[in-house]
Amino acid sequence: MIKDFIILNCIGKNDKIGLRVKKNFYIHELDNKINKNDLLVSSILNLVNKYKANLDNEFSIIVNIGPGSFSSIRTSLSAAKGMKFSSNVNLFGFKNSNLKQFDLENIEFLIRNGLLQNKLIKPIYLS
């Protein structure tokens, strides 16, 4: 069961990062006015450090695999895979259509109902 996690919902519009640590859930909205792809990693690090998340083999990263913007999905997948390799965290993907609203209740619905992929994550891009 996934307890503590970070969720990256970066598909090119209404991009957000969510962090669940010790039963608390925090949301950080990425500013659409600037190039959010450049700031994604620093936003993740700031959120993890601010709430003192422990990135270990019991922590998970959940990343939106699309459909969406090519550059936004590639950037979020690259950041997630980098965290997986450097911290040995678990990596899961979900389809945008499976998350109705970006809140803890709907994210827990994804987890409970097996709507996460943990094998090879194949992004879905808009063309």
Side-chain angles (χ1 to χ4, degrees), residues 2 7 10 15 25 47 50 59 100 111 115 119 121:
I2 299 172
I7 182 166
C10 301
D15 294 343
F25 187 65
L47 199 61
K50 181 177 181 180
F59 191 85
K100 295 176 184 171
I111 296 167
L115 297 173
K119 295 186 180 178
I121 295 176

Side-chain angles (χ1 to χ4, degrees), residues 5-10 16-20 25-28 44 47 59-64 94 99 102-103 106-107 110 116:
F5 60 83
I6 192 162
I7 182 166
L8 306 177
N9 190 38
C10 301
K16 297 176 185 173
I17 302 170
L19 176 68
R20 181 174 175 192
F25 187 65
Y26 310 98
I27 296 176
H28 175 75
I44 292 169
L47 199 61
F59 191 85
S60 298
I61 303 169
I62 305 170
V63 62
N64 191 335
F94 71 95
L99 185 64
F102 193 82
D103 59 21
N106 284 302
I107 295 166
L110 287 176
L116 300 178

Side-chain angles (χ1 to χ4, degrees), residues 33-76:
K33 296 176 186 171
I34 55 175
N35 188 354
K36 59 191 159 281
N37 293 335
D38 294 339
L39 300 176
L40 179 63
V41 174
S42 62
S43 297
I44 292 169
L45 288 174
N46 290 338
L47 199 61
V48 166
N49 290 333
K50 181 177 181 180
Y51 297 108
K52 297 176 176 67
N54 186 17
L55 301 182
D56 58 12
N57 60 353
E58 294 181 11
F59 191 85
S60 298
I61 303 169
I62 305 170
V63 62
N64 191 335
I65 58 172
S69 162
F70 177 83
S71 61
S72 295
I73 293 173
R74 293 300 299 166
T75 302
S76 62

